[in-house]
Amino acid sequence: MSVDDIAAAIKSMEIRGAGRIARAAAAAIGDLARSREWNDISSLMRDVSDSKAKLIGSRPTAVSLLNGIQFTLRGLNGCTTVDDARKLLIRNSEEFIMSSNMAVERIGLIGSRRIKDGAVIMTHCNSSAAIACIKEAHRSGKRIKVYATESRPWRQGILTVNELAEAGVDVTLIIDGAVRSVMKYTDIVMVGADTITSNGAVINKIGTSQLALAAHEARVPFVVCSETYKISPQTLFGDMVTIEERDTSEIVRKGEIPDTVKVFNPVFDSTPARYIDGIVTEIGIVSPGSVYEIMVKQFGDIEFK
Ligand code: RUB
């Protein structure tokens, strides 16, 4: 698929989820490098820069998208020939996709150890990292039960219950409004992340912070499952994470309510670090307070703006 096709598919949510959109964007740049002919390095640089802007503009909240693209472009400014640049982009794109997939696998192994035999888990939306932990716990023989929220308005919870049911996990779908009521039967909450800020706050699907509050109140551990490339270095310099607002037609049909009624559809929210017990990453389980150190270590050599 071309860069335009991938950007459109991300915008329309045909491709969704922070990890998936990052891998799709990296693949789009890799495909561009494989298929496009350039006469000189400056035309290549221009095309890559346009592609980067299109892909980043397709969804504003998940920093995974930006970081996946930055990783794929790493070293490009040092290339002097089209051939070198092409090779570099293809290699970086493949490396990012592979390491991103491996990170999810590692998170599954590490996170599954936090799930006790007989545990009841609550999850929100559809996170491949959280699902990897749950599936691995089930695969390793633990008798677990999962409550998965519907996640209005896109109902990504349907994807989650289908995937877990297919893996043989005992899973129950609940509406978002049932979270606090069902928390009393829950032993651990596991959710994904779109972005992690320098102070350890987690931006994830709207409603995540409500799960965190309900878990805090019920003294249920609240665990985030996330690849380290979802950490946003820009937040260290005071940049705010843009919370995507989507079309109101996702919530109400035309004519269903008077035109005078306003509709607000933010699709992500922020959970402060103090409600997060741990972040399961591919390098281990870390506290939200140690995000800064990981950021410096992981991103030190990448150019960010
Ligand atoms: C998806 C969502 C997921 C994170 C993490 O929102 O909030 O929890 O993206 O997913 P949307 P993963 O459906 O709007 O993209 O662990 O798969 O990266």
Side-chain angles (χ1 to χ4, degrees):
M1 275 165 99
S2 70
V3 165
D4 285 320
D5 290 342
I6 295 280
I10 293 175
K11 206 179 184 83
S12 68
M13 287 183 51
E14 196 185 312
I15 303 174
R16 45 143 303 282
R20 285 192 188 91
I21 61 177
R23 288 187 289 274
I29 292 175
D31 282 352
L32 177 81
R34 268 181 216 99
S35 58
R36 182 83 47 99
E37 291 303 327
W38 290 283
N39 291 329
D40 51 66
I41 187 82
S42 48
S43 344
L44 178 150
M45 295 287 189
R46 225 177 6 257
D47 265 0
V48 170
S49 160
D50 288 352
S51 303
K52 176 181 167 183
K54 275 182 198 156
L55 290 163
I56 290 172
S58 60
R59 277 199 94 180
T61 300
V63 78
S64 55
L65 186 57
L66 173 62
N67 287 346
I69 294 168
Q70 296 284 41
F71 186 100
T72 307
L73 306 191
R74 192 158 67 165
L76 186 64
N77 287 340
C79 293
T80 49
T81 68
V82 168
D83 205 37
D84 282 353
R86 191 191 300 283
K87 282 189 192 133
L88 174 118
L89 291 172
I90 295 171
R91 193 176 57 238
N92 283 354
S93 149
E94 286 169 352
E95 199 183 317
F96 176 76
I97 294 166
M98 196 183 66
S99 65
S100 162
N101 281 324
M102 273 168 54
V104 176
E105 220 174 283
R106 277 288 301 147
I107 289 168
L109 287 171
I110 297 169
S112 69
R113 293 188 212 127
R114 287 299 284 261
I115 301 173
K116 296 199 179 90
D117 189 23
V120 177
I121 306 144
M122 187 184 287
T123 190
H124 187 50
C125 194
N126 179 255
S127 154
S128 30
I131 289 175
C133 302
I134 297 169
K135 277 168 75 173
E136 178 54 28
H138 172 74
R139 198 205 57 76
S140 66
K142 291 177 185 164
R143 289 155 300 168
I144 56 169
K145 191 175 148 106
V146 177
Y147 285 109
T149 58
E150 181 190 12
S151 309
R152 281 268 298 151
W154 267 80
R155 305 182 77 221
Q156 290 93 331
I158 302 295
L159 299 172
T160 299
V161 295
N162 275 319
E163 187 173 345
L164 291 177
E166 196 177 315
V169 177
D170 177 349
V171 59
T172 304
L173 181 69
I174 58 171
I175 59 164
D176 303 325
V179 161
R180 183 161 178 257
S181 157
V182 173
M183 196 58 77
K184 55 178 167 285
Y185 312 120
T186 303
D187 298 307
I188 184 167
V189 176
M190 286 186 138
V191 297
D194 278 76
T195 294
I196 300 178
T197 68
S198 59
N199 63 3
V202 166
I203 319 296
N204 192 50
K205 179 55 54 194
I206 190 85
T208 301
S209 63
Q210 287 173 171
L211 266 77
L213 278 179
H216 183 74
E217 179 195 42
R219 294 172 191 276
V220 170
F222 182 89
V223 173
V224 174
C225 309
S226 170
E227 303 88 318
T228 51
Y229 68 83
K230 291 176 184 169
I231 295 173
S232 164
Q234 292 82 358
T235 57
L236 184 62
F237 307 108
D239 281 16
M240 303 294 280
V241 177
T242 307
I243 300 290
E244 179 182 8
E245 253 183 72
R246 292 186 65 89
D247 202 86
T248 56
S249 62
E250 293 181 351
I251 299 184
V252 279
R253 285 187 298 275
K254 205 167 169 41
E256 210 173 10
I257 53 171
D259 288 344
T260 49
V261 176
K262 296 185 266 311
V263 179
F264 180 39
N265 185 18
V267 298
F268 296 100
D269 68 17
S270 170
T271 300
R274 65 180 175 282
Y275 298 116
I276 300 168
D277 292 283
I279 305 176
V280 183
T281 74
E282 71 279 13
I283 57 169
I285 300 179
V286 302
S287 77
S290 53
V291 165
Y292 171 75
E293 277 148 63
I294 299 170
M295 186 189 290
V296 170
K297 213 163 141 203
Q298 304 279 101
F299 297 106
D301 59 339
I302 302 185
E303 202 187 299
F304 278 104
K305 289 274 176 183

